[in-house]
């Protein structure tokens, strides 16, 4: 499926490449090299990596994982096809709404996270949990 993109630079990686471990590459991943502004949306049947921010009013929908190398303040839906193993990774995770498969959550009103580390949202035991991203060999799966 071709990605749907409402404006901006979009790079599609059609094949595996880079890095020796096979699990680091996915032939179904796109790279968006810009900030998504209010009113912009991207939807893709696979993984989405965004180098930039996702501002409030912007929307990202992926059947796989979503990685944001910046602030995530808009709406994000990972695992849109029902994949509860999908996750959302962001440098700063502050979405207006976050969905993984059929699980929906949002940030509590008036509460800011003081986290200085990248974060990951995933489904554990039937609920969406947000944790600090673990670097190195002790990384969570």
């Amino acid at each position: 499926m071709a990605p749907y993109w409402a404006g901006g630079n979009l790079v599609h990686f059609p094949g595996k490449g880079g890095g020796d471990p096979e699990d680091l590459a996915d032939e179904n991943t796109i790279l968006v090299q810009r900030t998504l502004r209010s009113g912009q949306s991207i939807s893709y049947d696979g993984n989405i990596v965004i180098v930039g921010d996702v501002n409030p009013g912007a929307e990202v929908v992926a059947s796989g994982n979503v990685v944001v190398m910046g602030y995530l303040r808009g709406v994000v839906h990972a695992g849109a096809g029902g994949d509860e193993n999908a996750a959302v990774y962001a440098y700063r995770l502050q979405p207006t709404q976050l969905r993984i498969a059929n699980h929906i959550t949002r940030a509590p009103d008036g509460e800011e996270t003081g986290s200085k580390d990248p974060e990951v949202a995933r489904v554990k035991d039937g609920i969406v949990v947000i944790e600090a991203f673990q670097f190195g060999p002790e990384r969570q799966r």
Side-chain angles (χ1 to χ4, degrees):
M1 170 186 192
Y4 167 74
W5 170 234
N9 300 332
L10 179 68
V11 179
H12 181 232
F13 292 91
K16 295 186 184 244
D20 287 329
E22 286 292 316
D23 60 348
L24 292 179
D26 190 319
E27 60 188 41
N28 205 17
T29 300
I30 59 169
L31 174 66
V32 178
Q33 298 182 83
R34 67 166 300 159
T35 292
L36 272 68
R37 308 245 178 249
S38 179
Q40 294 181 317
S41 65
I42 185 166
S43 178
Y44 185 65
D45 187 14
N47 303 306
I48 298 175
V49 177
I50 298 171
V51 180
D53 297 333
V54 178
N55 288 335
E59 181 180 38
V60 178
V61 179
S63 64
N65 301 306
V66 175
V67 178
V68 178
M69 303 297 291
Y71 283 81
L72 196 167
R73 295 186 183 116
V75 175
V76 62
H77 188 177
D83 183 5
E84 289 193 357
N85 294 317
V88 177
Y89 302 84
Y91 179 66
R92 293 289 181 267
L93 193 56
Q94 302 167 339
T96 53
Q97 185 182 85
L98 186 143
R99 300 178 197 174
I100 299 176
N102 62 344
H103 303 275
I104 302 173
T105 189
R106 65 179 184 86
D109 291 331
E111 186 176 317
E112 289 209 18
T113 62
S115 176
K116 301 290 185 203
D117 295 321
E119 296 174 301
V120 58
R122 64 180 75 240
V123 175
K124 284 189 177 178
D125 299 324
I127 60 169
V128 175
V129 296
I130 297 173
E131 308 169 315
F133 179 77
Q134 300 295 315
F135 296 93
E138 57 279 340
R139 196 174 65 143
Q140 65 271 64
R141 289 208 161 235

